[in-house]
Amino acid sequence: STLELDRRQRQMCIRDSSSTDCKNLSTIMVGIYDLLEGKSVNDFKSDYNSLVDSVLAFTGTPLRVTCVGLPDFSQAPGLPASAGTAQEAKIKIQSYNGAIAEVAIDKGVGFANILPISEVSYEFMLAEDDFHPAAPQHLLWANVIAGEVENGLD
């Protein structure tokens, strides 16, 4: 059956992740620590471009790659001082997301924009440190990401 074949393929991928049959889907969600460490948008975009190129070499097709934008963590009570004020952080997040979207368009990969859903929910769905997202926030993001991934699989 197809289900049995899928199960066997997953087991094979666990044993040998270098198999080309296993390299069929990647999501990329990076940048928050770059932003917090003060990396310029131009340097981030250059690094991000290289990262997407590496992932594309791994997957072999842009249809199986989805870039995920940054959430809006600017209103989190535990916002690190390195992010600046809430307004400064928001501007930086938007700039980074612009760079991510530009790379995604240039490379022909998907772009999952989690910013809108995080703008209305992030500060209410936080872990105990008042900065990192709690599980319900991740679930909201996963739904947005899954929708974009599905677009690439059609």
Side-chain angles (χ1 to χ4, degrees):
S1 78
T2 304
L3 185 61
E4 179 64 21
L5 181 62
D6 289 344
R7 187 179 65 75
R8 279 185 276 157
Q9 183 177 4
R10 282 193 307 276
Q11 288 173 342
M12 178 200 65
C13 290
I14 291 168
R15 287 191 305 273
D16 180 15
S17 63
S18 66
S19 168
T20 56
D21 292 335
C22 302
K23 301 175 184 177
N24 60 5
L25 179 65
S26 291
T27 57
I28 304 169
M29 186 178 181
V30 299
I32 292 175
Y33 289 103
D34 295 291
L35 186 151
L36 293 176
E37 292 173 0
K39 184 176 279 193
S40 74
V41 174
N42 288 337
D43 287 347
F44 170 75
K45 185 176 180 182
S46 177
D47 291 349
Y48 196 84
N49 193 61
S50 297
L51 174 63
V52 174
D53 282 342
S54 296
V55 172
L56 284 169
F58 183 77
T59 63
T61 176
L63 298 175
R64 303 292 181 159
V65 178
T66 299
C67 296
V68 181
L70 303 183
D72 182 3
F73 54 85
S74 66
Q75 298 301 316
L79 182 68
S82 63
T85 66
Q87 185 167 349
E88 290 168 337
K90 181 133 183 137
I91 291 168
K92 292 174 191 177
I93 292 164
Q94 290 170 337
S95 296
Y96 266 54
N97 278 342
I100 294 167
E102 287 174 20
V103 170
I105 290 167
D106 183 52
K107 302 294 181 183
V109 302
F111 175 67
N113 186 6
I114 63 170
L115 184 73
I117 193 73
S118 69
E119 287 176 324
V120 297
S121 60
Y122 196 92
E123 64 184 296
F124 304 107
M125 296 181 180
L126 293 172
E128 290 181 15
D129 67 0
D130 280 338
F131 178 67
H132 290 91
Q137 183 70 229
H138 282 280
L139 181 60
L140 293 174
W141 300 350
N143 288 329
V144 173
I145 296 165
E148 184 58 42
V149 168
E150 279 185 310
N151 291 338
L153 298 177
D154 290 340

